[in-house]
């Protein structure tokens, strides 16, 4: 088996020692090439070339941004035809995709899980989301959550952690970058809804709060369509209500301000003026329209 290990040395919890241990362990079972990324988009380029060269496995060692780049690289030429399988060894601060797959947050244990999956031939197919030409593994959004991502991006470094995200959420709430512009959600067969934030899920739960899971669309999974969580208004009572509901073990969101759908094949979100748009926790830019689609059974992931 030919494999490439893509390492982001700038990710929060990656270390040279951890990289060497991981590479040595993988090299015992596969013909391995190790690539350390040194610029934004490097992981995408490596994964794209791996797919075109017929490599069997690409392992992403970094945070969710590294995983997202690798996924977009693997699917650069579309989902048709044979593609390398994806392996994930967490190295970031959140690692939402890895956790949703049941991969350990501990890189050593995650490496053991990956080696066991390779040896036993364990894999699974997952569905992904597609938004404005960008593949996403767990979520994408416009409005408040994208403003949070933009705020964190301005301060990103080795200090990225749950506290930084919480501070960014408070800052973005009281001083929204886009002035809290209205958005319009378009779901096929339904009347358009005007909202103040729109969050699209490909799986549940997700979290930037350490080990604390956040549930917005409990019906979302890698085997179903997209979930939409949107709020018509963002007053403090509305926000507190839904934050409290999201942090419950058995989350059941209710409220007059809520617009919620599960298992959607597609939807669109529009705005009269450009607003921030994020994919898998990375800021993409500002948009006045984003079309979302669920693409089922598109990628093979090595996971038990």
């Amino acid at each position: 088996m030919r494999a490439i290990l893509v390492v982001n040395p700038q990710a929060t919890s990656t270390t040279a020692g951890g990289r060497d241990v991981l590479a040595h362990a993988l090299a015992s079972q596969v013909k391995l090439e190790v690539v350390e990324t040194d610029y934004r988009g490097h992981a995408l380029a490596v994964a794209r070339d791996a797919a075109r060269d017929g490599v069997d496995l690409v392992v992403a060692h970094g945070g969710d941004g590294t995983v997202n780049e690798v996924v977009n690289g693997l699917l650069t030429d579309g989902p048709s035809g044979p593609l390398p399988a994806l392996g994930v060894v967490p190295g970031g601060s959140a690692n939402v995709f890895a956790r949703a797959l049941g991969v350990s947050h501990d890189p050593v244990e995650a490496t053991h899980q990956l080696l066991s999956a390779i040896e036993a031939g364990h894999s699974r197919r997952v569905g992904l989301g597609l938004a404005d030409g960008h593949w996403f593994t767990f979520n994408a959004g416009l409005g408040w959550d994208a403003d949070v991502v933009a705020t964190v991006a301005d301060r990103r470094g080795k200090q990225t952690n749950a506290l930084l995200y919480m501070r960014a959420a408070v800052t973005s709430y009281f001083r929204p970058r886009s002035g809290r512009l209205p958005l319009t959600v378009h779901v096929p067969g339904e009347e358009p809804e005007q909202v103040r934030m729109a969050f699209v899920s490909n799986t549940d739960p997700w979290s930037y709060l350490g080990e604390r899971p956040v549930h917005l669309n409990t019906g979302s999974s890698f085997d179903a369509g997209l979930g939409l969580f949107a709020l018509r208004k963002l007053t403090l009572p509305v926000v507190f209500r839904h934050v409290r509901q999201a942090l419950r073990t058995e989350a059941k969101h209710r409220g007059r301000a809520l617009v919620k759908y599960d298992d959607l094949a597609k939807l669109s979100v529009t705005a009269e003026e450009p607003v921030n748009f994020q994919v898998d926790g990375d800021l993409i830019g500002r948009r006045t329209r984003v079309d979302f689609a669920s693409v089922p059974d598109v990628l093979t992931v090595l996971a038990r």
Side-chain angles (χ1 to χ4, degrees):
M1 176 183 287
R2 294 173 59 207
I4 294 179
L5 171 61
V6 181
V7 180
N8 178 3
Q10 300 303 315
T12 307
S13 58
T14 57
T15 64
R19 174 207 60 205
D20 292 342
V21 170
L22 172 56
H24 181 74
L26 285 173
S28 69
Q29 293 198 21
V30 300
K31 183 179 180 181
L32 185 68
E33 177 185 352
V34 180
V35 178
E36 285 197 358
T37 61
D38 53 22
Y39 58 88
R40 186 179 178 90
H42 193 177
L44 187 152
V46 172
R48 178 195 62 213
D49 292 344
R52 292 173 178 175
D53 291 345
V55 170
D56 302 296
L57 171 66
V58 177
V59 178
H61 181 35
D64 287 306
T66 303
V67 173
N68 181 271
E69 280 199 24
V70 168
V71 167
N72 276 273
L74 294 177
L75 292 164
T76 295
D77 298 326
S80 61
L83 294 174
L86 172 67
V88 179
V89 176
S93 58
N95 305 302
V96 178
F97 181 62
R99 292 184 188 189
L101 289 169
V103 176
S104 173
H105 182 66
D106 178 7
V108 174
E109 178 59 27
T111 299
H112 177 71
Q113 290 176 323
L114 178 59
L115 293 173
S116 296
I118 293 173
E119 185 175 4
H122 287 153
S123 66
R124 61 174 293 186
R125 298 285 290 180
V126 300
L128 300 174
L130 188 61
D132 194 34
H134 298 269
W135 296 92
F136 63 97
T137 63
F138 57 89
N139 70 44
L142 299 96
W144 184 20
D145 69 296
D147 287 346
V148 172
V149 169
T151 300
V152 171
D154 288 344
R155 308 170 186 173
R156 178 158 286 172
K158 287 286 185 178
Q159 79 282 3
T160 304
N161 52 37
L163 181 59
L164 176 58
Y165 279 103
M166 287 189 286
R167 287 176 174 170
V170 173
T171 299
S172 299
Y173 179 83
F174 288 105
R175 295 197 297 273
R177 292 187 172 214
S178 302
R180 198 152 300 153
L181 296 171
L183 309 171
T184 304
V185 172
H186 307 265
V187 173
E190 304 289 342
E191 290 295 319
E193 292 265 13
Q194 190 169 92
V195 299
R196 295 293 172 168
M197 65 163 285
F199 189 91
V200 180
S201 300
N202 188 51
T203 190
D204 185 270
W206 63 275
S207 181
Y208 296 131
L209 302 179
E211 297 293 330
R212 190 70 179 265
V214 177
H215 301 272
L216 294 184
N217 286 87
T218 54
S220 294
S221 75
F222 295 126
D223 303 313
L226 300 175
L228 170 68
F229 180 96
L231 294 174
R232 296 184 180 93
K233 54 185 180 180
L234 287 176
T235 62
L236 281 174
V238 168
V239 171
F240 283 143
R241 169 196 286 268
H242 289 286
V243 167
R244 186 173 65 251
Q245 292 174 353
L247 294 176
R248 289 175 179 170
T249 303
E250 297 183 3
K252 294 182 180 180
H253 286 275
R254 298 184 179 91
R256 295 180 180 178
L258 177 65
V259 178
K260 185 174 178 294
Y261 293 91
D262 288 310
D263 201 19
L264 293 173
K266 60 182 179 179
L267 70 146
S268 299
V269 179
T270 59
E272 293 186 359
E273 297 180 34
V275 296
N276 281 326
F277 165 50
Q278 66 88 13
V279 164
D280 281 351
D282 270 353
L283 184 67
I284 300 300
R286 298 171 71 83
R287 300 288 189 276
T288 56
R289 180 185 180 98
V290 177
D291 296 318
F292 298 87
S294 172
V295 186
D297 196 34
V298 69
L299 191 65
T300 299
V301 180
L302 292 190
R304 295 184 66 86

